[in-house]
């Protein structure tokens, strides 16, 4: 066995030497820069993988930071659900002017009290001829499919919600962040509906209106922050 091994060793050594010579020949035929890249491939490939992983990590970190910042800056509010039971369980406020439940975070109690204190009572009735007065308690109101109120109530309802939206917009314009408003106050459809209702219900007093400095000033646009 030892003789065979000794016989094979020179042949193996010769083969290795020929492979080295062939490798040198192949490299010598390539441009210098490519020869260097091939010769350093064992270093370049792991380095490229490392750089790719590092860039991927930085991109992920940037995206996650942006997402977390957005989620952190988005104010949370109560979900009232879709019916009486879920709204009561969530601790929502029954707004008699909106005749619906409102999350407490976007209920303007000051404005609400100002309007309701000036409306004649009772607000609601069982029948369209305004007979059989009803309580403002939502426990009673929820038992009726339809209830009725006087025409001025609809006007007050609209003015109240229009003012809620206007106050929210004014806060945003003044630089406040995370301003909350109920979705009726910010609905384009509801704004158009209520504007039309208020205009149609307007009465025109006999006394004249004085207007000063007409066409002598101008308004300007404001960009509202997101």
């Amino acid at each position: 066995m030892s003789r065979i091994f000794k016989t094979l060793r020179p042949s193996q050594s010769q083969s290795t030497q020929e492979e080295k010579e062939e490798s040198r020949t192949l490299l010598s035929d390539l441009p210098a820069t490519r020869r260097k890249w091939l010769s350093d491939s064992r270093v370049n490939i792991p380095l490229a993988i490392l750089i790719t992983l590092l860039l991927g990590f930085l991109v992920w970190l940037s995206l996650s930071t942006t997402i977390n910042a957005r989620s952190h800056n988005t104010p949370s509010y109560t979900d009232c659900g879709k019916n009486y039971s879920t709204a009561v369980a969530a601790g929502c406020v029954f707004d008699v002017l909106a005749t619906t439940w409102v999350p407490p975070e976007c209920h303007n109690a000051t404005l609400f009290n100002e309007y309701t204190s000036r409306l004649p009572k009772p607000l609601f009735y069982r029948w369209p001829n305004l007979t059989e007065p009803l309580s403002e308690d939502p426990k009673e109101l929820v038992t009726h499919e339809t209830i009725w109120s006087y025409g001025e109530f609809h006007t007050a309802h609209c003015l109240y919600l229009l003012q809620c939206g206007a106050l929210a917009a004014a806060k945003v314009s003044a630089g406040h962040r995370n301003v909350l408003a109920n979705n009726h106050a910010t609905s384009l459809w509801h704004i158009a509906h209520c504007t039309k209702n208020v205009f149609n219900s307007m009465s025109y007093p006999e006394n004249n209106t004085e207007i000063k400095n007409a066409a002598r000033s101008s308004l300007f646009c404001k960009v509202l922050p997101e």
Side-chain angles (χ1 to χ4, degrees), residues 95-183:
D95 190 322
V96 295
L97 280 171
T99 65
T100 189
W101 296 92
V102 180
E105 297 82 6
C106 60
H107 177 66
N108 190 327
T110 302
L111 194 63
F112 172 84
N113 292 332
E114 180 183 340
Y115 271 83
T116 54
S117 65
R118 298 171 63 181
L119 289 174
K121 304 296 178 69
L123 294 178
F124 307 117
Y125 297 86
R126 179 72 180 90
W127 307 110
N129 62 353
L130 303 186
T131 57
E132 193 177 329
L134 299 174
S135 166
E136 296 175 15
D137 189 343
K139 290 181 181 179
E140 180 178 356
L141 298 179
V142 76
T143 62
H144 304 289
E145 185 71 23
T146 303
I147 60 174
W148 298 84
S149 187
Y150 43 84
E152 291 82 358
F153 175 83
H154 192 187
T155 302
H157 158 90
C158 282
L159 287 172
Y160 167 68
L161 288 173
L162 287 171
Q163 191 168 354
C164 282
L167 288 173
K171 285 183 179 180
V172 174
S173 180
H176 292 267
R177 309 297 295 180
N178 299 328
V179 177
L180 292 173
N182 71 73
N183 62 298

Side-chain angles (χ1 to χ4, degrees), residues 12-224:
Q12 185 179 12
S13 175
Q14 183 178 1
S15 174
T16 303
Q17 187 66 25
E18 289 175 355
E19 289 174 1
K20 289 181 179 180
E21 290 296 330
E22 184 178 0
S23 175
R24 290 195 191 99
T25 303
L26 287 170
L27 289 173
S28 62
D29 293 336
L30 297 171
T33 55
R34 192 171 177 187
R35 289 204 308 271
K36 187 176 187 309
W37 186 90
L38 288 171
S39 63
D40 295 338
S41 61
R42 291 183 178 180
V43 176
N44 288 333
I45 293 174
L47 183 60
I49 293 173
L50 181 62
I51 292 173
T52 302
L53 291 174
L54 180 59
L55 290 174
F57 172 76
L58 291 175
V59 170
W60 172 85
L61 183 62
S62 175
L63 288 174
S64 63
T65 302
T66 303
I67 292 171
N68 288 336
R70 287 178 180 175
S71 62
H72 179 71
N73 291 333
T74 302
S76 59
Y77 56 89
T78 304
D79 181 3
C80 297
K82 300 292 184 181
N83 54 53
Y84 173 91
S85 300
T86 58
V88 171
C92 292
V93 178
F94 181 70
D95 190 322
V96 295
L97 280 171
T99 65
T100 189
W101 296 92
V102 180
E105 297 82 6
C106 60
H107 177 66
N108 190 327
T110 302
L111 194 63
F112 172 84
N113 292 332
E114 180 183 340
Y115 271 83
T116 54
S117 65
R118 298 171 63 181
L119 289 174
K121 304 296 178 69
L123 294 178
F124 307 117
Y125 297 86
R126 179 72 180 90
W127 307 110
N129 62 353
L130 303 186
T131 57
E132 193 177 329
L134 299 174
S135 166
E136 296 175 15
D137 189 343
K139 290 181 181 179
E140 180 178 356
L141 298 179
V142 76
T143 62
H144 304 289
E145 185 71 23
T146 303
I147 60 174
W148 298 84
S149 187
Y150 43 84
E152 291 82 358
F153 175 83
H154 192 187
T155 302
H157 158 90
C158 282
L159 287 172
Y160 167 68
L161 288 173
L162 287 171
Q163 191 168 354
C164 282
L167 288 173
K171 285 183 179 180
V172 174
S173 180
H176 292 267
R177 309 297 295 180
N178 299 328
V179 177
L180 292 173
N182 71 73
N183 62 298
H184 272 191
T186 58
S187 164
L188 292 177
W189 178 89
H190 198 269
I191 291 170
H193 161 78
C194 275
T195 303
K196 182 179 179 180
N197 173 71
V198 172
F199 186 81
N200 290 339
S201 64
M202 287 174 59
S203 60
Y204 299 93
E206 294 180 359
N207 57 309
N208 298 328
T209 299
E210 181 182 6
I211 303 172
K212 292 184 177 181
N213 299 320
R216 295 183 182 182
S217 62
S218 62
L219 302 177
F220 62 93
C221 295
K222 294 195 71 172
V223 179
L224 302 181

